Amino acid sequence: MIKVENLVKEFGTKKAVNRVSFTVQKGEILGFLGPNGAGKSTTMRMITGFIPPTEGRVTVGGHDISENPVEAKRLIGYLPESAPCYSDMSVHGFLNFTAELRGINGTKREEAVRRVVGLCSLESVLHQSVDTLSKGFRHRTCLAQSLIHDPEVLILDEPTDGLDPNQKHEVRQLLKRLGQNKAIVFSTHILEEVDACCTRAIIIDHGEVRANGTPAELRAQHDLAGSVTLQVHGTPAETVKSRLGGLMLAQKATASLVDGVVHARVYPRNRAMNGELAKAIAEVTTKEGWQFDELHTEDGRLDEVFRGITRPDTLASKTE
Amino acid sequence: MNEATRNIWTITKRELGGYFNSPVAYVFIVIFLLLNGFFTFMLGNFFERGEANLNAFFVWHPWLYLFLVPAAGMRLWAEERRIGTLELLLTMPITAWQAILGKFLSCWVFLALALFLTFPVVATVAYLGSPDIGAILSGYFGSLLLAGAYLAITVATSAMTRNQVISFILSVVICFFLILAGWEPVTNLLVRWAPQWLVETVASFSVMPHFTGFQRGVVDIRDTLFFVSVMIFSLFSTSVILRGLRGA
């Protein structure tokens, strides 16, 4: 549904977005991750046709957004970053207006408004003026606007920003439900959200795509994913290192002495076998009579992957 | 109604609603009518003239509009930029032109309504004498064109900034130039050193000579074209400004 090819956006001499390419199919929910200023919003603005790209192409449902903007925009529902609404209108008036701009008329319009009001739980504020709404309601009003024409493509820039935990949960559930027959792209910097509802995630930094995969794939990119760490007392670091490194399942082991305690880490030969590796290590420690505490398998944490990818001075970039 | 007109109408309706949902419209209309009355009857010496025409009424419009039209139109784009709804509006399946025209028309209709509410002046002059109805209609037509020209300039300055005050000041300055360009003290200044053609070119940008014909009851196609081309040029500039905004 969405095809982004080699998208570049330059502001003056600064490249805000640099050769970003990806596709999103119907039924996919793509999480767009990245630190602030990474180029997420700029990319979304180019997809929705708000700003033209310096280079590259965006097609939505087969329509090029630069050549055929009106047709492409028809297919898109868009929630801009700060969830702007016309503050001098009532919620009902605002939704009616956006429905009218989308070409929904007559009884269909009333139906459409009723549907999105239900989806976004806006019944209680329907006739209130937008400028009297709390941030959460205003956000949901703008979200409702993006759903009014039941679009095939949804572009949501930080859809859970400013919502309380319950509302965040509701929006995630809503996205999951809608994602079954739409192509959804949403940006966030809350990593749990990626686990909670994305089928795929892209990490973008300094305008470039750094990672693109399912949440599980991304997690596995973590260097430490599947490694086992433990702390041993009263045994020389060298002994621990050579003993653990010699294990069949281990690829290598490291050990260092910190405050009189040996911190050891064992990397698996095969990440799928990390359960067995932990078991093997536990057997070694009992056999050798080491005193140890805190033996656990690293999961490969998404936030670590995120930090590693988006910050140039860490493990992940060194091994790149 | 085809799609383009429907989109323009949708935006016009919303903007008009925006005027009347807030006190702005009522305050504006009251001030407009009060000032009109003040200028016509106090400064214009309407009664003392003893003439059955509305010259004392129309002659003030270029000055009255100089402040009131920018005040009415300054929010059109500046407000959209400030609260971010510009992004929403321009990602709707409409063209920028439809949005520009819709906004322009909404404010023009609003100004026309305010102008329409000056009908007691017409009633007064009709009661006191037998005025030339044709001249009155052409005066109103010219006044509406004048308001449209000022408004189109305000629409353009409104798109330049997210600050309504800046937009207001810019449009007042530009409109003021359009008044002064043909004003004698200014042309005299130019005559001293500038070649004749330059003086005439500058003077021809002035709204004054184009507006006076309408007051006398002359609907000249050239005067009409002048105002229409100011509108088209300004609205076109608006579309260029909006495109520039999105490009940078």
Side-chain angles (χ1 to χ4, degrees):
Chain A
M1 284 305 292
I2 310 172
K3 196 166 170 202
V4 175
E5 292 163 274
N6 282 320
L7 214 53
V8 176
K9 182 70 198 178
E10 288 168 1
F11 293 118
T13 53
K14 191 176 167 267
K15 268 198 173 145
V17 173
N18 193 5
R19 307 229 158 266
V20 167
S21 303
F22 59 86
T23 54
V24 188
Q25 305 297 334
K26 200 169 245 190
E28 271 193 303
I29 306 180
L30 177 71
F32 220 51
L33 290 167
N36 289 324
K40 300 188 298 278
S41 291
T42 309
T43 306
M44 293 183 140
R45 283 174 171 169
M46 286 191 279
I47 298 174
T48 53
F50 180 58
I51 55 176
T54 311
E55 267 176 61
R57 240 164 84 95
V58 176
T59 47
V60 177
H63 302 287
D64 189 304
I65 192 82
S66 310
E67 284 160 20
N68 209 347
V70 173
E71 286 308 314
K73 286 173 184 175
R74 250 186 252 288
L75 301 175
I76 305 175
Y78 178 39
L79 172 73
E81 192 174 9
S82 52
C85 301
Y86 289 102
S87 50
D88 54 0
M89 300 179 102
S90 70
V91 172
H92 186 261
F94 175 68
L95 293 176
N96 240 316
F97 168 66
T98 53
E100 209 177 329
L101 277 185
R102 295 283 185 189
I104 310 169
N105 291 302
T107 51
K108 278 206 180 131
R109 194 191 309 162
E110 273 310 308
E111 251 168 58
V113 170
R114 209 171 317 126
R115 186 177 57 83
V116 294
V117 163
L119 276 179
C120 300
S121 325
L122 293 167
E123 294 89 350
S124 58
V125 294
L126 196 53
H127 295 287
Q128 221 168 301
S129 162
V130 169
D131 57 2
T132 63
L133 296 181
S134 67
K135 197 175 177 198
F137 271 122
R138 209 168 50 229
H139 213 95
R140 271 143 62 193
T141 304
C142 199
L143 179 65
Q145 160 278 131
S146 70
L147 299 170
I148 194 115
H149 53 306
D150 197 17
E152 293 179 56
V153 172
L154 260 181
I155 312 283
L156 310 169
D157 204 346
E158 299 191 9
T160 56
D161 183 48
L163 302 181
D164 68 35
N166 290 335
Q167 294 166 339
K168 277 188 174 135
H169 179 74
E170 274 169 38
V171 169
R172 283 175 206 157
Q173 294 308 108
L174 179 63
L175 287 186
K176 255 186 179 166
R177 212 161 64 230
L178 293 170
Q180 286 163 6
N181 50 16
K182 293 186 198 308
I184 301 183
V185 179
F186 80 93
S187 73
T188 179
H189 27 230
I190 305 170
L191 292 151
E192 308 109 67
E193 246 155 42
V194 175
D195 269 329
C197 53
C198 289
T199 57
R200 202 147 56 82
I202 280 181
I203 299 181
I204 180 170
D205 186 39
H206 291 101
E208 287 173 29
V209 173
R210 293 291 162 85
N212 181 351
T214 64
E217 280 167 5
L218 288 185
R219 245 197 311 266
Q221 280 200 9
H222 192 197
D223 284 13
L224 303 181
S227 70
V228 179
T229 59
L230 71 162
Q231 291 167 17
V232 184
H233 301 265
T235 311
E238 272 312 306
T239 322
V240 173
K241 188 181 168 187
S242 61
R243 185 72 182 83
L244 292 179
L247 281 170
M248 266 272 282
L249 292 164
Q251 187 198 14
K252 64 166 182 165
T254 60
S256 56
L257 195 66
V258 182
D259 296 334
V261 182
V262 176
H263 291 250
R265 169 164 284 143
V266 188
Y267 295 88
R269 214 172 274 280
N270 178 353
R271 279 182 184 172
M273 303 276 280
N274 55 29
E276 277 82 285
L277 178 65
K279 226 178 276 165
I281 291 170
E283 276 164 20
V284 171
T285 52
T286 32
K287 212 190 276 169
E288 301 284 333
W290 292 344
Q291 277 193 335
F292 75 98
D293 47 40
E294 246 211 86
L295 185 147
H296 74 272
T297 306
E298 298 281 354
D299 224 352
R301 300 208 324 260
L302 213 47
D303 59 338
E304 294 280 347
V305 177
F306 178 82
R307 280 216 299 277
I309 288 174
T310 57
R311 234 176 30 188
D313 54 347
T314 49
L315 271 173
S317 70
K318 270 187 214 152
T319 53
E320 242 170 33
Chain B
M1 245 196 313
N2 71 12
E3 199 185 298
T5 21
R6 204 171 48 226
N7 288 342
I8 293 170
W9 173 234
T10 303
I11 290 168
T12 305
K13 247 186 344 191
R14 196 207 82 74
E15 294 289 335
L16 271 177
Y19 280 113
F20 288 100
N21 278 343
S22 67
V24 176
Y26 308 100
V27 171
F28 180 90
I29 287 176
V30 167
I31 290 179
F32 177 74
L33 295 177
L34 281 178
L35 285 178
N36 249 320
F38 174 74
F39 279 119
T40 309
F41 294 103
M42 310 294 278
L43 295 180
N45 298 322
F46 178 76
F47 293 117
E48 289 82 348
R49 282 171 173 237
E51 296 168 3
N53 62 39
L54 287 183
N55 283 354
F57 169 69
F58 288 123
V59 78
W60 298 106
H61 283 189
W63 301 97
L64 199 57
Y65 287 154
L66 176 60
F67 294 99
L68 289 181
V69 172
M74 64 187 182
R75 61 174 260 284
L76 285 174
W77 288 105
E79 182 74 357
E80 297 257 359
R81 287 187 58 178
R82 192 179 65 78
I83 60 176
T85 42
L86 185 66
E87 195 167 345
L88 206 59
L89 187 64
L90 295 181
T91 51
M92 288 287 168
I94 59 169
T95 64
W97 263 108
Q98 290 163 2
I100 293 169
L101 275 179
K103 278 173 175 288
F104 171 74
L105 285 177
S106 72
C107 194
W108 208 17
V109 166
F110 172 67
L111 292 170
L113 178 73
L115 190 60
F116 173 75
L117 291 177
T118 60
F119 66 84
V121 183
V122 182
T124 308
V125 78
Y127 174 74
L128 293 174
S130 42
D132 178 357
I133 293 297
I136 289 176
L137 285 181
S138 90
Y140 269 107
F141 179 63
S143 179
L144 200 57
L145 283 178
L146 178 70
Y150 280 10
L151 176 63
I153 290 165
T154 309
V155 169
T157 62
S158 178
M160 285 178 197
T161 167
R162 60 184 65 218
N163 186 323
Q164 297 191 18
V165 178
I166 294 176
S167 145
F168 174 79
I169 292 170
L170 275 177
S171 48
V172 169
V173 167
I174 296 173
C175 296
F176 193 47
F177 167 78
L178 289 187
I179 292 180
L180 285 187
W183 196 43
E184 269 198 354
V186 175
T187 46
N188 286 348
L189 267 181
L190 280 172
V191 162
R192 279 186 217 150
W193 56 271
Q196 183 66 20
W197 62 266
L198 184 65
V199 179
E200 276 171 12
T201 313
V202 172
S204 69
F205 275 108
S206 174
V207 293
M208 290 306 224
H210 296 286
F211 183 55
T212 45
F214 288 107
Q215 295 174 51
R216 288 199 307 269
V218 184
V219 180
D220 191 324
I221 188 76
R222 281 169 301 179
D223 293 335
T224 311
L225 268 180
F226 168 78
F227 288 115
V228 171
S229 39
V230 170
M231 287 184 233
I232 291 173
F233 176 77
S234 302
L235 294 182
F236 181 74
S237 307
T238 310
S239 77
V240 172
I241 293 165
L242 285 179
R243 202 178 315 145
L245 263 185
R246 297 153 71 187

